[in-house]
Amino acid sequence: MLQRYTDAQASCKALNLESELARLEAITSTTKVAICRNLNALYHFVTAGQSLQISFYRQVSSGGRLPENNAFDDIRTSVDSRLFPHYYQDILFGALTATDAGVTSYGPYSIFLNDVAISDRTSLFEENSLVFFRDKHKIAPGDKVPVGYRATWAERALLAAAKLHPRLTAEIPENELASLVLLNAGSIEKEDFIEAHIHGSLSLYSVEKVCGPNADTGRESVMLQAVTEYLEAANIPLELT
Amino acid sequence: MTKVIMSGSARVAVRIDADSVRLWKYGANKEPQTLPHRYLRLLFSPTDDLTPLDTDNNEAVTRGLTERVDLADGLMLYVSILDPNLSLGCKKGAARELNEILLSSSAAIRFSDLVTSALIPARYLADIPEFEGVSKVSSLIATIKGQAPALHTVYGALDGAALAANAQELGEGTKRLVAASGIPGRMAQKMVAGELDKLGIERMEAMRLLKGTPNFRDLVVEWFKAVGARALDIPSMQELIEGERDTQAGDSEAKGTKGTDTYDRRTIFDRVGKQKADITPLLRLGKRERAIRYTQQLIDMQMKYGGGEYAAKTLCDLSQRAKELGNLHMQISLAEWATRVAPTDGWSYCQLADGFIGLGKFDDAKKSLEHARIWGQAAYATSGLARILMAHERYQAALDLLDHERQSIADTFVWNQWAECHRRLNRIDDALNAYGEVAERFPEDRVARCGLASTLVDAGRIDEAISMYYLILEQVGSDPIASNGLAHAHHLQGDDESALTLYSRTAREHPEDFISISSHAHLLRILHRFSEATARYRWAHAQYPLVVTFLEGLADVAKAELLFDSSLRYLEQAISMDPRRPNAYVSRIDVFRRMGQKRAALNAADKLIAEFPKNFTAMMARASLFKELGELAIAVDSYKRVVDEFPESTEAGFAARALAQLTGNKKEVERLKGYEGNPRSQWDWLALHLDALRLLRIGRWKPGESQLRLGSEKSPFQHIRSVFRRSLSGFLVSKGRYGEALDALEFDTSDIGALIRLHAFIALDDTANVVTSKNRTAHVPDRMTKLRSLLLSGHAGPGKRDSSEWSEVVDEEIRQLGLGTF
């Protein structure tokens, strides 16, 4: 990964984009991890006392959910087992974000995690690992996972620089830099983000804040009201838009 | 007594009872269909004396057949389903003769063995109890070998592996037939020819195909091609087809009963053809919704009259058309549709896999290939897996797979791909041997011979390749693969007019052959006939708006005309149409470089690497740009990484070595050894050229000049000879040998050549020619204008010139040739 970062530095130096690269690194070094859920899942997580956010595999094996019938869940196990041999069942997925939203196609409510709760057990990956394996690198079973695309929590800014430097332009505004880190494009295939891999489960104590849309009427407003109360009780801010 | 009989098409299992015939469509998992005897048609014919029968005679034959089955216990016949109103049959005399044969041969051959062990793959028979306890193919072989003379031809879709394994025990003629069995489709066809009748079953089977399928012509031609009609001395299939057409035309009252309604066969056939023709332009123009609506109407009609099997064939046909027209998404949609209409049709899954591979959806492709294998298309499945491996640049793995599978699959797909793998691995001798082996094994297969010719071109044996292409065209008539290959070979020899004529003719004869269209336009561009090239590409783009290649071509012409903004616009369009195709990204880098915007080019290279991390050209461009920007250490490091990533790339290694030399890294120079050996391929010659440049850079003038002379005189590739000549003339000018330099540039029309001439004429004080050359170089690309102005202002006159500039220009010219950047 450091090699890629060095390449990024060389390119940016040649293109006179060193200051932009530095700004990108600065922004990324303050990014948070967000996990996105729909209101129903958020409600159950927040209101069910000692409920934990557990990995997809734990949910399936516990009988708590079914895999979805889509192109991703179809190859999910093979990809995850390559990235996390023998412990892929313990990995939760999130995304690095510099704004008030995570990858909202997974759900409109972004659950932001406390750095202190995850920094020692989180690594970052270039992009959606399924897209990385299937489309960009075409990694077949038995192939080695290419090196240079993962980073520790502390080095997440270097990974962002290595990945995003070709998209930098002179005097790029701050908000555009933030949208480079995470691009919400409306569908899972088109979105672009730096994937966060969190080992273990998450409780409400790991949550820093929750952001999402308001709901004024109907069943959703009732659920959201309950979520609001529970979060208030836990002293977790809820930012509604 | 009941017996099990297999239909000639290997698609239906038949059981003859005393009063009826029962049919199982394997894979359909349904109750058998019961038919009266008259629906049977005799395929085991003692003579080729075929005349239409009336119903009485037909029934008489059938009755005789069933009686004979009863009499000769265990004796089975080979039959197919008969459409009574359209059938051919045997005369009464033939039927009598048949009965005698059956009696005499009953001890010689047990057709039940043939039927149950070979014609139907065991896995299809699991739910048909009558097929339990089948015997093996080996016993069939033994039986055939001991057959009575009366048995003249046996045809069936035998198990390829087993028969091939036993082929050693058979005679030469049989071996040839076994070898010729590579018919597309899992239904591997094996024939054992006897002495009495050269036509036999195959002719009748062809007739059945003629009757039974809408695309009968293609099927029959394909079938006979695969079994080697010429080798078997079977009369022209064209005659059979035409004869059968006449029969059909005269039989206007013919009615069909397949499907859910009766129909006028000819009318339906014509209507299907017309509707397909209506759908084709919609596929070409990408009008998806209308195409689907029209297709739905067509399929509804076919389901009503012909059933799912024909509907699937139509959908596969349309799917293939969509592919040919560059509409890959519709190719997939139609093929998926075909798999729904006929879930047991292996070919539909092949089409689907082909589409997925085209779009880079390899997981989906693999699933489709698994289905294709299950439903009888093992050869295609193997070939498809190899294509996936090759798309991942895992050529050795693909080669291993094909090498293993080809032993058991006598199929041209597999064998040709096996040979091609050698070529992709740049093992030219192995590829030549492999293609030679395939061409010998499948003498009728033109793809193998074209592959052999193309490999000869790679090996620098262009004359031989041209002879071979002409031979192929003489034998098969018009063929786009051979014609395009021949045109390319002519071009490499420097005979561009012949190449243009050939491309043009091929495009006219095969209007949807994109290769001939784009190659024609490409060559026009190389020859600086820009307006013609643009017109050609524009026409093609209007005709086939979904084909990205033509947009990329337009961008190339605009770039050559120095219309960089237009070029970039075309490239942006191309990228938005197909973001997973790297070509336009690569061209974009080049446009920026020509505009003199090295930083923008570097950024474009970085973007390309971000999308395609293993893209060779992008990595090379990045290294080269750093070199041009004066960041030599980074450039060298970048080259080294290219070398590590692509260890078989000669020019990457040489570029790194040249740069290491420049940076004084002697250890690195030692590590990256120079070119050794006799150059043959284009890459070999380029490596030699690079090595010559390296020698000149380090002051070893004599060997460097000697290598340049060798290439400019001996390389079989005209464009590479030009590269050598330009470098040689540049070197000679730098040494003050102007006359020799001008000689070396004879016939050269390039911008660099013109600049070198300008240089020489200035030095020779040849005012008239200086003026001419000045005019000629007035519009050289941006990066050369600096050198031109230096030359004209006298600041870089003879004896003052920095040789590295020349080298840089020469490097640029090589890059323009599309042979790598360094």
Side-chain angles (χ1 to χ4, degrees):
Chain A
M1 205 274 289
L2 284 177
Q3 177 66 64
R4 288 184 70 218
Y5 176 64
T6 309
D7 287 349
Q9 283 183 313
S11 287
C12 287
K13 185 182 171 194
L15 299 171
N16 294 324
L17 293 170
E18 286 168 300
S19 64
E20 283 75 9
L21 186 68
R23 283 167 54 215
L24 174 66
E25 288 179 48
I27 280 190
T28 319
S29 61
T30 62
T31 48
K32 300 283 182 185
V33 170
I35 295 176
C36 287
R37 295 285 183 266
N38 59 33
L39 183 57
N40 205 33
L42 177 69
Y43 173 83
H44 286 291
F45 175 52
V46 171
T47 62
Q50 299 303 310
S51 169
L52 293 173
Q53 282 288 312
I54 56 174
S55 73
F56 166 83
Y57 300 102
R58 295 281 180 223
Q59 290 177 49
V60 172
S61 63
S62 71
R65 70 165 289 176
L66 290 170
E68 288 178 31
N69 182 21
N70 61 30
F72 286 102
D73 283 4
D74 224 18
I75 61 167
R76 193 166 184 151
T77 310
S78 64
V79 170
D80 292 349
S81 62
R82 300 301 314 285
L83 278 172
F84 320 108
H86 311 302
Y87 64 97
Y88 64 92
Q89 303 93 331
D90 297 321
I91 298 298
L92 269 170
F93 292 84
L96 219 53
T97 175
T99 66
D100 282 340
V103 188
T104 50
S105 58
Y106 290 90
Y109 292 91
S110 303
I111 304 169
F112 285 79
L113 305 177
N114 271 320
D115 291 359
V116 70
I118 61 165
S119 59
D120 287 342
R121 55 181 175 128
T122 298
S123 62
L124 288 311
F125 192 69
E126 177 88 354
E127 61 188 324
N128 183 333
S129 47
L130 298 174
V131 172
F132 181 91
F133 269 63
R134 190 188 60 182
D135 299 338
K136 198 166 281 185
H137 289 263
K138 299 179 176 64
I139 298 168
D143 287 353
K144 285 182 179 172
V145 180
V147 296
Y149 298 94
R150 298 166 103 167
T152 62
W153 178 255
E155 290 179 336
R156 63 193 188 280
L158 306 191
L159 178 64
K163 174 187 174 182
L164 301 170
H165 77 88
R167 300 182 211 170
L168 292 175
T169 53
E171 297 176 6
I172 182 171
E174 295 293 311
N175 61 333
E176 286 186 28
L177 278 177
S179 65
L180 287 184
V181 177
L182 189 153
L183 175 68
N184 269 315
S187 75
I188 292 174
E189 282 86 356
K190 290 179 182 171
E191 272 146 2
D192 188 37
F193 54 88
I194 293 173
E195 194 170 78
H197 300 150
I198 308 153
H199 187 273
S201 54
L202 295 168
S203 72
L204 208 51
Y205 300 113
S206 311
V207 177
E208 184 176 289
K209 68 173 178 179
V210 177
C211 298
N214 204 350
D216 295 331
T217 56
R219 176 174 164 270
E220 288 197 342
S221 70
V222 176
M223 290 172 76
L224 190 58
Q225 183 58 40
V227 166
T228 308
E229 288 170 10
Y230 274 87
L231 287 176
E232 271 178 12
N235 203 22
I236 297 171
L238 172 65
E239 296 175 6
L240 297 175
T241 53
Chain B
M1 179 180 287
T2 62
K3 293 295 174 187
V4 176
I5 295 182
M6 178 57 204
S7 83
S9 69
R11 287 184 178 276
V12 184
V14 186
R15 192 175 79 183
I16 300 179
D17 295 330
D19 56 354
S20 65
V21 178
R22 290 206 281 167
L23 311 173
W24 285 265
K25 284 192 175 182
Y26 54 78
N29 199 20
K30 287 179 181 171
E31 285 296 308
Q33 186 181 357
T34 304
L35 299 170
H37 280 151
R38 67 173 181 276
Y39 281 80
L40 292 177
R41 177 162 63 96
L42 196 61
L43 272 185
F44 181 64
S45 166
T47 72
D48 58 343
D49 181 12
L50 305 172
T51 51
L53 283 180
D54 59 36
T55 308
D56 288 339
N57 281 341
N58 195 14
E59 284 185 348
V61 171
T62 310
R63 194 162 47 249
L65 172 63
T66 52
E67 283 167 3
R68 193 54 54 199
V69 169
D70 287 342
L71 286 171
D73 187 16
L75 178 66
M76 302 314 267
L77 287 177
Y78 191 53
V79 297
S80 79
I81 311 307
L82 179 74
D83 176 346
N85 291 314
L86 290 174
S87 72
L88 299 173
C90 298
K91 286 179 178 175
K92 278 184 180 175
R96 275 198 302 278
E97 199 176 339
L98 167 70
N99 290 343
E100 289 167 14
I101 289 169
L102 294 178
L103 284 169
S104 64
S105 62
S106 61
I109 182 164
R110 294 176 65 88
F111 271 86
S112 58
D113 284 350
L114 183 147
V115 169
T116 55
S117 69
L119 295 183
I120 311 176
R123 59 177 172 275
Y124 297 138
L125 306 177
D127 53 353
I128 305 177
E130 285 84 351
F131 286 97
E132 285 174 6
V134 297
S135 55
K136 301 298 176 193
V137 172
S138 54
S139 68
L140 166 70
I141 300 296
T143 307
I144 290 173
K145 284 172 69 184
Q147 66 189 273
L151 175 64
H152 28 83
T153 303
V154 176
Y155 152 68
L158 305 182
D159 182 280
L163 188 52
N166 283 282
Q168 298 298 325
E169 300 169 18
L170 301 176
E172 281 305 313
T174 311
K175 279 185 190 173
R176 194 177 64 227
L177 287 166
V178 171
S181 64
I183 186 170
R186 169 59 176 154
M187 215 172 69
Q189 307 211 16
K190 313 292 180 186
M191 303 173 66
V192 180
E195 294 297 321
L196 301 180
D197 181 7
K198 290 277 197 309
L199 291 173
I201 296 301
E202 12 348 2
R203 179 164 168 177
M204 299 191 75
E205 177 65 6
M207 291 296 186
R208 191 189 69 77
L209 289 169
L210 288 171
K211 296 284 188 187
T213 62
N215 55 342
F216 66 90
R217 185 176 178 158
D218 291 344
L219 277 172
V220 171
V221 170
E222 193 66 25
W223 187 78
F224 265 78
K225 184 178 65 186
V227 298
R230 186 168 301 179
L232 290 169
D233 196 23
I234 291 171
S236 161
M237 275 314 300
Q238 194 63 32
E239 289 174 26
L240 289 175
I241 292 168
E242 296 303 331
E244 182 60 19
R245 273 187 171 168
D246 294 343
T247 307
Q248 285 191 15
D251 191 12
S252 59
E253 295 303 309
K255 299 285 181 186
T257 54
K258 205 169 178 180
T260 59
D261 210 347
T262 57
Y263 58 93
D264 180 321
R265 183 181 193 82
R266 186 183 173 84
T267 306
I268 294 296
F269 184 78
D270 289 346
R271 200 195 298 175
V272 169
K274 186 174 178 309
Q275 283 186 263
K276 276 190 196 170
D278 289 343
I279 292 165
T280 300
L282 301 176
L283 296 174
R284 179 165 60 80
L285 297 170
K287 297 189 173 176
R288 182 185 172 85
E289 286 182 9
R290 278 178 65 194
I292 287 178
R293 197 166 68 240
Y294 282 26
T295 308
Q296 183 69 61
Q297 289 168 5
L298 173 58
I299 297 308
D300 286 348
M301 188 264 287
Q302 282 202 298
M303 292 296 281
K304 191 174 171 188
Y305 292 112
E309 186 185 345
Y310 293 158
K313 279 178 181 154
T314 295
L315 286 164
C316 282
D317 236 20
L318 289 171
S319 173
Q320 191 59 32
R321 296 284 300 141
K323 180 191 176 184
E324 288 165 5
L325 297 167
N327 194 340
L328 297 185
H329 292 282
M330 273 305 282
Q331 182 197 2
I332 288 177
S333 300
L334 291 164
E336 263 176 344
W337 195 343
T339 61
R340 289 198 299 273
V341 169
T344 58
D345 180 43
W347 189 243
S348 302
Y349 290 104
C350 295
Q351 289 286 330
L352 187 55
D354 184 51
F356 283 134
I357 292 173
L359 278 182
K361 295 186 168 182
F362 299 115
D363 291 317
D364 296 325
K366 275 197 273 190
K367 281 181 197 162
S368 300
L369 290 172
E370 282 164 21
H371 285 293
R373 187 183 295 279
I374 289 168
W375 296 116
Q377 299 289 348
Y380 192 94
T382 300
S383 164
L385 280 176
R387 276 176 69 195
I388 292 174
L389 287 167
M390 287 160 86
H392 288 74
E393 296 179 357
R394 298 172 64 188
Y395 299 120
Q396 187 59 52
L399 181 61
D400 292 345
L401 170 73
L402 293 165
D403 205 26
H404 179 261
E405 293 286 321
R406 78 190 168 100
Q407 305 298 342
S408 56
I409 299 178
D411 187 284
T412 52
F413 278 150
V414 172
W415 281 74
N416 277 320
Q417 217 165 15
W418 166 74
E420 181 62 19
C421 267
H422 289 97
R423 194 172 157 207
R424 299 280 187 96
L425 284 163
N426 205 23
R427 298 173 188 164
I428 292 179
D429 287 332
D430 290 345
L432 285 172
N433 290 335
Y435 270 122
E437 191 180 336
V438 182
E440 192 177 328
R441 192 179 176 95
F442 303 100
E444 302 295 320
D445 183 49
R446 74 188 191 290
V447 176
R449 286 186 297 156
C450 285
L452 182 55
S454 181
T455 314
L456 284 169
V457 169
D458 288 348
R461 293 158 61 181
I462 301 178
D463 285 335
E464 291 173 66
I466 287 176
S467 303
M468 177 161 277
Y469 279 129
Y470 274 121
L471 192 63
I472 296 167
L473 287 171
E474 203 174 287
Q475 288 172 352
V476 303
S478 177
D479 177 74
I481 302 174
S483 296
N484 290 332
L486 177 59
H488 181 60
H490 275 311
H491 164 59
L492 290 177
Q493 270 200 331
D495 185 0
D496 290 326
E497 283 309 316
S498 295
L500 282 174
T501 307
L502 272 164
Y503 282 136
S504 178
R505 195 173 70 201
T506 312
R508 209 169 41 246
E509 290 171 357
H510 305 273
E512 280 152 15
D513 178 53
F514 298 154
I515 294 176
S516 56
I517 297 171
S518 57
S519 301
H520 187 216
H522 174 77
L523 188 49
L524 287 169
R525 175 177 68 77
I526 290 177
L527 297 173
H528 288 218
R529 290 161 64 175
F530 297 133
S531 57
E532 290 172 77
T534 304
R536 192 87 182 115
Y537 276 129
R538 281 203 177 131
W539 173 83
H541 179 55
Q543 291 293 310
Y544 307 103
L546 301 179
V547 180
V548 183
T549 314
F550 299 132
L551 271 176
E552 292 166 350
L554 279 168
D556 283 343
V557 180
K559 181 174 68 180
E561 289 187 287
L562 313 181
L563 303 171
F564 299 124
D565 290 338
S566 297
S567 182
L568 285 173
R569 268 200 305 279
Y570 285 129
L571 292 173
E572 291 303 330
Q573 269 189 59
I575 288 171
S576 66
M577 270 177 69
D578 189 356
R580 295 306 303 161
R581 187 180 154 88
N583 305 38
Y585 291 90
V586 172
S587 292
R588 199 165 55 172
I589 301 171
D590 197 38
V591 173
F592 283 127
R593 289 176 74 141
R594 289 195 168 216
M595 292 169 83
Q597 297 183 16
K598 290 177 186 168
R599 288 179 169 78
L602 178 61
N603 186 242
D606 280 339
K607 282 180 176 162
L608 176 53
I609 291 170
E611 290 301 318
F612 303 91
K614 297 275 180 67
N615 186 281
F616 173 81
T617 314
M619 292 172 77
M620 288 295 281
R622 188 171 188 278
S624 166
L625 284 160
F626 272 118
K627 185 189 111 183
E628 289 173 22
L629 290 166
E631 299 281 357
L632 290 184
I634 299 175
V636 170
D637 184 55
S638 303
Y639 280 126
K640 279 161 64 182
R641 276 157 53 201
V642 176
V643 175
D644 289 343
E645 194 70 54
F646 305 96
E648 293 181 13
S649 157
T650 28
E651 88 274 36
F654 277 97
R657 192 172 66 149
L659 280 163
Q661 186 72 42
L662 283 177
T663 52
N665 188 344
K666 289 182 183 172
K667 197 175 169 187
E668 188 63 13
V669 171
E670 191 58 32
R671 193 177 76 82
L672 301 162
K673 287 185 178 173
Y675 180 78
E676 289 163 1
N678 295 319
R680 290 198 304 172
S681 70
Q682 297 185 58
W683 293 104
D684 290 343
W685 284 104
L686 282 173
L688 183 71
H689 178 256
L690 284 162
D691 201 43
L693 294 186
R694 180 187 65 80
L695 290 168
L696 296 179
R697 280 177 181 146
I698 60 174
R700 296 182 61 193
W701 313 122
K702 212 165 182 178
E705 182 186 344
S706 161
Q707 284 190 195
L708 289 178
R709 285 198 184 278
L710 177 72
S712 61
E713 289 164 11
K714 301 289 185 190
S715 172
F717 304 99
Q718 187 265 342
H719 63 285
I720 292 186
R721 285 200 301 273
S722 302
V723 171
F724 274 97
R725 283 201 199 107
R726 283 194 284 273
S727 299
L728 178 63
S729 61
F731 166 72
L732 292 170
V733 162
S734 75
K735 293 291 156 200
R737 293 154 66 183
Y738 305 113
E740 288 178 72
L742 288 170
D743 286 346
L745 280 174
E746 196 179 5
F747 305 122
D748 188 285
T749 57
S750 69
D751 291 329
I752 291 177
L755 277 171
I756 297 171
R757 272 199 204 94
L758 174 63
H759 194 169
F761 290 137
I762 290 172
L764 292 168
D765 206 15
D766 183 345
T767 313
N769 276 316
V770 167
V771 173
T772 311
S773 292
K774 189 179 163 187
N775 293 335
R776 164 67 185 83
T777 56
H779 300 290
V780 291
D782 271 6
R783 59 179 286 110
M784 297 185 202
T785 52
K786 180 184 164 195
L787 180 59
R788 179 175 179 271
S789 60
L790 283 171
L791 283 169
L792 291 174
S793 66
H795 290 304
K800 296 178 184 175
R801 192 181 50 72
D802 174 1
S803 65
S804 69
E805 276 184 309
W806 280 106
S807 304
E808 194 176 335
V809 174
V810 173
D811 285 355
E812 167 63 15
E813 180 63 15
I814 296 169
R815 188 185 58 74
Q816 284 177 32
L817 285 164
L819 300 169
T821 52
F822 40 84

Short mmCIF file of all heavy atoms in Angstrom, two decimals, chain B residues 761 764-772:
data_model
loop_
_atom_site.label_atom_id
_atom_site.label_comp_id
_atom_site.label_asym_id
_atom_site.label_seq_id
_atom_site.Cartn_x
_atom_site.Cartn_y
_atom_site.Cartn_z
N PHE B 761 19.02 18.48 -45.19
CA PHE B 761 19.08 19.49 -46.25
C PHE B 761 19.69 20.80 -45.74
O PHE B 761 20.43 21.48 -46.47
CB PHE B 761 17.68 19.75 -46.84
CG PHE B 761 17.17 18.58 -47.65
CD1 PHE B 761 15.85 18.15 -47.54
CD2 PHE B 761 18.01 17.90 -48.54
CE1 PHE B 761 15.39 17.08 -48.27
CE2 PHE B 761 17.54 16.81 -49.28
CZ PHE B 761 16.22 16.40 -49.14
N LEU B 764 23.30 20.21 -45.69
CA LEU B 764 23.88 20.15 -47.05
C LEU B 764 23.71 21.47 -47.80
O LEU B 764 24.11 21.59 -48.94
CB LEU B 764 23.21 19.02 -47.85
CG LEU B 764 23.51 17.59 -47.38
CD1 LEU B 764 22.58 16.59 -48.05
CD2 LEU B 764 24.96 17.23 -47.65
N ASP B 765 23.07 22.42 -47.13
CA ASP B 765 22.84 23.74 -47.72
C ASP B 765 22.05 23.62 -49.03
O ASP B 765 22.29 24.35 -49.99
CB ASP B 765 24.21 24.44 -47.96
CG ASP B 765 24.02 25.95 -47.94
OD1 ASP B 765 22.95 26.39 -47.48
OD2 ASP B 765 24.92 26.66 -48.41
N ASP B 766 21.11 22.71 -49.05
CA ASP B 766 20.28 22.46 -50.23
C ASP B 766 19.02 23.31 -50.09
O ASP B 766 17.98 22.84 -49.58
CB ASP B 766 19.96 20.96 -50.30
CG ASP B 766 19.16 20.61 -51.54
OD1 ASP B 766 18.61 21.51 -52.19
OD2 ASP B 766 19.06 19.40 -51.83
N THR B 767 19.09 24.55 -50.51
CA THR B 767 18.04 25.52 -50.23
C THR B 767 16.68 25.09 -50.75
O THR B 767 15.66 25.20 -50.06
CB THR B 767 18.40 26.89 -50.86
OG1 THR B 767 19.76 27.16 -50.52
CG2 THR B 767 17.51 27.98 -50.32
N ALA B 768 16.68 24.60 -51.99
CA ALA B 768 15.38 24.23 -52.58
C ALA B 768 14.68 23.17 -51.73
O ALA B 768 13.50 23.28 -51.41
CB ALA B 768 15.60 23.72 -54.01
N ASN B 769 15.44 22.17 -51.37
CA ASN B 769 14.85 21.09 -50.57
C ASN B 769 14.55 21.53 -49.15
O ASN B 769 13.64 21.00 -48.52
CB ASN B 769 15.78 19.87 -50.57
CG ASN B 769 15.57 19.02 -51.81
OD1 ASN B 769 14.43 18.78 -52.20
ND2 ASN B 769 16.66 18.62 -52.44
N VAL B 770 15.32 22.49 -48.64
CA VAL B 770 14.99 23.02 -47.31
C VAL B 770 13.60 23.65 -47.33
O VAL B 770 12.76 23.42 -46.45
CB VAL B 770 16.05 24.05 -46.84
CG1 VAL B 770 15.54 24.81 -45.61
CG2 VAL B 770 17.35 23.34 -46.49
N VAL B 771 13.34 24.41 -48.39
CA VAL B 771 12.02 25.06 -48.50
C VAL B 771 10.92 24.00 -48.58
O VAL B 771 9.90 24.06 -47.89
CB VAL B 771 11.98 25.99 -49.74
CG1 VAL B 771 10.58 26.52 -49.95
CG2 VAL B 771 12.97 27.12 -49.56
N THR B 772 11.15 23.01 -49.43
CA THR B 772 10.16 21.94 -49.56
C THR B 772 9.92 21.26 -48.21
O THR B 772 8.78 21.03 -47.79
CB THR B 772 10.65 20.87 -50.58
OG1 THR B 772 11.08 21.54 -51.74
CG2 THR B 772 9.55 19.89 -50.91
#
